[in-house]
Amino acid sequence: MTSYPMSELDAHWRAANYLAAGQIYLMDNPLLTEPLRPEHIKPRLLGHWGTSPGLNLVHTHLNRVIKDRSLDALCIWGPGHGGPAVLANSWLEGTYTETYPDITRDAAGMGALLRQFSFPGGVPSHVAPETPGSVHEGGELGYSLAHAYGAAFDHPHLLVACVIGDGEAETGPLAASWHSNKFLDPVHDGAVLPILHLNGYKIANPTVLSRIPEAELDSLLRGYGHDPLYVTGSDPALVHRAMARAMDEALDRIAAIQREARTAGTDPGREYAHWPVIVLRTPKGWTGPVTVDGDPVEGTWRAHQVPLAGVRDNPAHLKQLETWLRSYRPEELFDADGRPSEQVLACVPRGERRLGAVPYANGGRLLRPLPLPAPGAYAVPVDKPGRTLHEPTRVLGHFLTQIMRDTAGRRDFRVVGPDETASNRLDDLYDATGKAWQGLTEATDTNLSRNGRVMEILSEHVCQGWLEGYLLTGRHGLFSTYEAFAHIVDSMVAQHIKWLKTSRELSWRAPIASLNYLLTSHVWRQDNNGFSHQDPGFVDHVLNKSPEVVRVYLPPDANTLLAVADHALRSRDRVNVIVAGKQPSFDWLSVDEALAHVARGAGIWEWAGTGHGSREPDVVLACAGDVPTMEVLAAAALLREHLPSLAVRVVNIVDIARLMPHEEHPHGMSDTEYNALFTTDKPVIFAYHGYPWLIHRLAYRRTGHPNLHVRGYKESGTTTTPFDMVVRNDMDRYRLVMDVIDRVPGLAGRAEGLRRAMADQRIRHHGWIREHGTDLPEVADWSWPY
């Protein structure tokens, strides 16, 4: 049981509550050394009070057990809109002042702390990158528990506490995250202590888990594989005692689970551990106004944000606010200079064990470079372009497998995905590690391992959350998924990009490893699934975000995929989206050519065009993506055969942001570079992997944009042959040749016969596939003829 008197825990809690409430209201008079006046109140009252007292209680009691037990601990604050609480505790323990020296730990610094909250030029109302000790953006709910498990993986000595709001508990991502305990290895991983905070209400409605019978809630949590501990009440003295008992019991259970597992090792007969969970029931807006204007507030939805509005203009509300703030007895908590008293700080840990100073919350400080093998060691030989075929993601799998082997001792690299590692041709990874699994096993199971570092669960949300938590606490990883269903995490990646953008602006945040996506089983090859699995729009979503953070790569072959992966895994503070096929596709570039091509991001493939000396091209055929590249090269071959006097330039783009002006994206081209590739006045026929209007959006300011004609996916899909997909979307080689004839001045008349032949081929194709079920022989058996 605690070695600290409850009065000291209560003093810390009251101090945090005072500062949390003060941040919402006060811009002056921080210690209430004079009666409150309207000019002491902020003109705009913003923030969330309702969850803050509960978060302060958790923080206070975590401080105590961390100090008592010398724990390395991190806390994920699920109710991230309780920013005032986390900021208050960071200031009390001193880490805020260490991070921001101008916010001193005295009356002047307290005044600055309170004033800056939700104030122009200040800090956000949510837990955010600016908040010391945070790894979790509070702007969107649902991800805290997945982040907590991601942080615990491969950190065997770390305790990750995770406060889950009962509103957040209603989200799909959070509901699926409860299954994460079946993947947590008590031998090699740390522990997660979920704290389900039931304060009863969301913004305006009751919460589901607070209103079901406790027996039903208990069954639910036990069904998830947890052993619940309950803390309930509104009397602070009783709640402090109950919370201290629950914390001690939970940590004793965690220590016993880890001790037993680490003694037994990786015994395959061991069942997964039933970890503790604390269920904390306290009133929403606890210790705040009980009623306002005759309406109940404490313990209701009215306490969610600002319980007393119009304080500047309403003398009664101003008086009630002063009574509320003075109820914490600030004169007992802070000395005359505004410094926290010894009683307030008695439970606070020292140094890097403080929750605001823990290095795991600034994961770049712990990050080590990956031991990356040379891509050339895994490259496929390319003597001539387009003569051999390989599955690009399988080639990448050999590369990733070596990284898994080389990190076996340090355990800081994981691959996550929703049950698709083998489907995506990355199953060579199982030669180096298994799939993490703590559940029951059967004789028919393959590649399951209690200490595996491939993570598969059929929830893209959980995969994303695991990997984000893993990266934010100083490790590396890759998320492999079907292209169409990357959209499931649209909102999550948007939040992560916002986090990275802000973190890059904070000198004290060390860079972390990039979030790397491998999107495969893509729109053009959905042989088993069809229209439901055809959506290339994740790229559009990502490219709308902060340009300093996002990168999108479309490698056209296996060696270029290796070069892109090597680049992405070396990068920091990025979100890298790599779109690559898993089906056999042509090898175009040697590894040295691929590395140079990726470094440039875009380039002319001289061997594919017809240069005709130094003459300007008559037409530019551009491509981005593996299937578009093949169709463009097939079209170029047809043009070389049938119109040998036509000067054709082939341009391949692997880094799609290169199309943007350099003023808008760090990888963008200057107008001079762009014009050197695409010309200013010649027609450009562009075959693009995704939705064609993205290319127009990226290039709309270029001089030659009126000459740009883009072919891509236009929502015409089904289960069909590979070539029929490009025909359906007018991106096939025959359509591209027709586009050239239609757009090169003077060509329509003299090439009318070729145009008709191309149209006839498309008609023949439709009949052929319906009769034979396969593509035309000249398509299926095509290879680069030159």
Side-chain angles (χ1 to χ4, degrees):
M1 189 55 183
T2 175
S3 60
Y4 299 100
M6 288 298 159
S7 59
E8 293 181 346
L9 294 172
D10 187 64
H12 183 276
W13 179 59
R14 284 188 288 121
N17 286 341
Y18 177 81
L19 294 172
Q23 287 174 78
I24 295 173
Y25 287 97
L26 298 182
M27 59 185 295
D28 201 357
N29 193 16
L31 287 170
L32 300 184
T33 53
E34 56 181 302
L36 268 187
R37 298 195 304 271
E39 57 267 28
H40 298 152
I41 308 301
K42 295 178 180 179
R44 298 174 69 238
L45 301 180
L46 304 169
H48 297 78
W49 164 249
T51 191
S52 292
L55 298 186
N56 286 330
L57 183 84
V58 171
H59 205 298
T60 296
H61 283 264
L62 281 174
N63 279 345
R64 193 268 300 178
V65 295
I66 291 167
K67 187 172 183 180
D68 264 3
R69 297 171 182 248
S70 299
L71 296 176
D72 292 324
L74 172 71
C75 191
I76 307 293
W77 305 99
H81 49 246
V86 186
L87 290 167
N89 282 281
S90 176
W91 185 84
L92 285 173
E93 69 186 19
T95 56
Y96 204 84
T97 298
E98 292 165 15
T99 307
Y100 303 104
D102 55 321
I103 310 294
T104 49
R105 197 158 52 151
D106 54 20
M110 184 193 298
L113 177 80
L114 305 189
R115 182 187 178 93
Q116 71 172 3
F117 179 79
S118 286
F119 202 80
V123 298
S125 65
H126 293 163
V127 175
E130 294 94 336
T131 310
S134 66
V135 296
H136 179 83
E137 169 63 59
E140 185 170 354
L141 302 178
Y143 315 138
S144 60
L145 193 54
H147 282 163
Y149 278 95
F153 294 143
D154 293 327
H155 276 150
H157 305 296
L158 182 64
L159 169 72
V160 186
C162 179
V163 186
I164 303 161
D166 46 357
E168 180 179 29
E170 296 176 8
T171 65
L174 196 289
S177 295
W178 289 111
H179 296 302
S180 299
N181 56 4
K182 284 74 171 179
F183 300 85
L184 188 79
D185 176 14
V187 177
H188 296 92
D189 300 334
V192 174
L193 175 60
I195 302 170
L196 178 60
H197 187 205
L198 303 181
N199 63 24
Y201 291 89
K202 305 183 282 282
I203 295 174
N205 288 287
T207 55
V208 172
L209 294 187
S210 71
R211 292 294 182 91
I212 63 176
E214 189 157 294
E216 185 178 332
L217 176 65
D218 190 80
S219 296
L220 176 68
L221 295 173
R222 292 184 186 280
Y224 279 135
H226 281 287
D227 286 334
L229 298 165
Y230 293 92
V231 177
T232 303
S234 59
D235 182 328
L238 297 177
V239 172
H240 278 303
R241 293 191 190 94
M243 191 65 173
R245 284 193 298 270
M247 281 279 188
D248 283 330
E249 185 171 350
L251 294 178
D252 287 346
R253 290 187 191 179
I254 288 170
I257 290 168
Q258 291 178 331
R259 185 168 55 249
E260 180 181 353
R262 293 171 187 181
T263 301
T266 55
D267 173 15
R270 173 171 52 86
E271 293 186 5
Y272 71 87
H274 284 63
W275 301 90
V277 56
I278 294 175
V279 180
L280 173 64
R281 285 187 189 266
T282 58
K284 196 174 186 80
W286 191 21
T287 72
V290 176
T291 62
V292 175
D293 297 333
D295 293 321
V297 174
E298 185 187 52
T300 78
W301 54 269
R302 293 186 180 90
H304 180 75
Q305 291 179 315
V306 180
L308 283 164
V311 179
R312 275 193 162 205
D313 304 318
N314 187 324
H317 284 195
L318 181 64
K319 182 63 176 176
Q320 193 172 3
L321 172 62
E322 183 168 2
T323 300
W324 169 19
L325 294 175
R326 291 192 185 280
S327 73
Y328 298 117
R329 305 190 298 281
E331 66 279 1
E332 299 175 5
L333 307 174
F334 308 98
D335 66 20
D337 295 322
R339 297 182 179 88
S341 70
E342 290 185 10
Q343 185 183 40
V344 166
L345 299 181
C347 64
V348 174
R350 305 290 184 188
E352 289 190 343
R353 288 215 158 97
R354 293 169 297 169
L355 285 172
V358 58
Y360 299 97
N362 191 359
R365 292 174 54 194
L366 306 176
L367 186 68
R368 293 176 288 177
L370 272 179
L372 291 173
Y378 298 89
V380 299
V382 181
D383 296 326
K384 291 186 177 181
R387 299 296 175 85
T388 57
L389 299 100
H390 285 87
E391 298 167 312
T393 56
R394 191 173 299 282
V395 174
L396 176 65
H398 304 326
F399 180 76
L400 297 176
T401 299
Q402 189 59 49
I403 298 172
M404 274 292 183
R405 290 195 183 102
D406 292 342
T407 56
R410 45 191 269 181
R411 294 184 66 91
D412 60 352
F413 177 69
R414 293 206 178 203
V415 173
V416 304
D419 193 31
E420 295 158 359
T421 304
S423 173
N424 290 337
R425 312 291 196 266
L426 300 177
D427 42 318
D428 277 353
L429 282 165
Y430 302 141
D431 293 338
T433 187
K435 292 180 284 189
W437 183 253
Q438 300 292 317
L440 301 176
T441 59
E442 298 183 0
T444 53
D445 295 330
T446 59
N447 300 314
L448 300 183
S449 170
R450 294 198 180 277
N451 62 1
R453 287 184 289 138
V454 172
M455 310 286 296
E456 291 193 324
I457 186 173
L458 200 53
S459 165
E460 286 83 355
H461 287 121
V462 175
C463 290
Q464 173 89 13
W466 283 347
L467 185 55
E468 287 182 359
Y470 199 69
L471 300 175
L472 286 161
T473 50
R475 282 75 62 77
H476 305 261
L478 178 85
F479 184 177
S480 166
T481 187
Y482 285 8
E483 178 186 52
F485 302 116
H487 276 301
I488 293 171
V489 298
D490 274 0
S491 189
M492 293 185 76
V493 70
Q495 295 294 330
H496 189 71
I497 291 168
K498 292 175 189 294
W499 177 281
L500 291 177
K501 180 183 185 300
T502 302
S503 294
R504 291 165 59 87
E505 298 166 359
L506 300 171
S507 60
W508 60 273
R509 285 256 179 213
I512 64 168
S514 297
L515 171 56
N516 300 307
Y517 290 97
L518 173 65
L519 306 187
T520 186
S521 297
H522 61 52
V523 59
W524 301 108
R525 290 302 305 269
Q526 277 300 324
D527 301 349
N528 291 313
N529 297 298
F531 196 35
S532 65
H533 285 53
Q534 292 164 350
D535 187 338
F538 188 72
V539 165
D540 302 58
H541 172 69
V542 168
L543 282 174
N544 282 325
K545 308 304 175 187
S546 303
E548 61 267 42
V549 174
V550 298
R551 305 287 185 268
V552 174
Y553 300 97
L554 293 106
D557 68 355
N559 285 340
T560 315
L561 175 58
L562 281 176
V564 166
D566 177 74
H567 174 77
L569 289 168
R570 294 179 190 278
S571 68
R572 299 289 182 266
D573 283 347
R574 302 276 190 264
V575 170
N576 297 307
V577 180
I578 306 168
V579 185
K582 67 181 185 182
Q583 303 294 347
S585 60
F586 285 109
D587 307 314
W588 305 113
L589 303 179
S590 70
V591 67
D592 289 337
E593 292 168 333
L595 288 165
H597 186 43
V598 171
R600 289 190 300 266
I604 299 171
W605 285 6
E606 299 283 1
W607 54 267
T610 51
H612 298 284
S614 60
R615 174 181 150 194
E616 276 273 294
D618 297 313
V619 64
V620 176
L621 292 181
C623 48
D626 53 359
V627 170
T629 296
M630 182 174 69
E631 292 306 305
V632 158
L633 290 174
L638 287 167
L639 291 168
R640 183 182 293 195
E641 177 184 357
H642 295 288
L643 297 172
S645 64
L646 189 72
V648 178
R649 175 182 291 175
V650 174
V651 174
N652 183 269
I653 296 90
V654 64
D655 178 352
I656 203 68
R658 292 287 284 151
L659 296 173
M660 300 173 71
H662 69 93
E663 298 89 354
E664 295 182 7
H665 195 284
H667 283 199
M669 285 189 253
S670 67
D671 285 339
T672 301
E673 291 176 292
Y674 183 93
N675 294 339
L677 283 182
F678 296 101
T679 78
T680 59
D681 57 352
K682 298 299 190 292
V684 178
I685 313 300
F686 198 130
Y688 170 57
H689 173 86
Y691 294 110
W693 40 86
L694 175 65
I695 303 302
H696 285 292
R697 180 169 70 81
L698 299 182
Y700 82 99
R701 292 172 58 182
R702 302 297 188 177
T703 303
H705 182 255
N707 305 313
L708 178 64
H709 179 66
V710 187
R711 295 291 188 180
Y713 182 68
K714 54 184 185 182
E715 285 295 310
S716 181
T718 185
T719 303
T720 188
T721 68
F723 189 63
D724 190 50
M725 272 300 297
V726 292
V727 172
R728 281 173 167 270
N729 291 276
D730 290 322
M731 198 185 71
D732 61 281
R733 59 199 68 181
Y734 305 126
R735 178 72 259 184
L736 296 176
V737 170
M738 294 163 66
D739 286 337
V740 171
I741 295 170
D742 291 344
R743 286 170 172 79
V744 173
L747 197 57
R750 61 189 177 94
E752 190 275 334
L754 177 60
R755 192 187 193 287
R756 186 171 60 250
M758 297 295 99
D760 289 346
Q761 276 290 82
R762 287 165 56 86
I763 295 170
R764 178 169 168 256
H765 154 80
H766 286 295
W768 180 275
I769 64 170
R770 282 157 181 76
E771 180 178 353
H772 299 280
T774 60
D775 284 323
L776 291 166
E778 56 264 51
V779 171
D781 300 331
W782 181 87
S783 62
W784 178 247
Y786 296 101

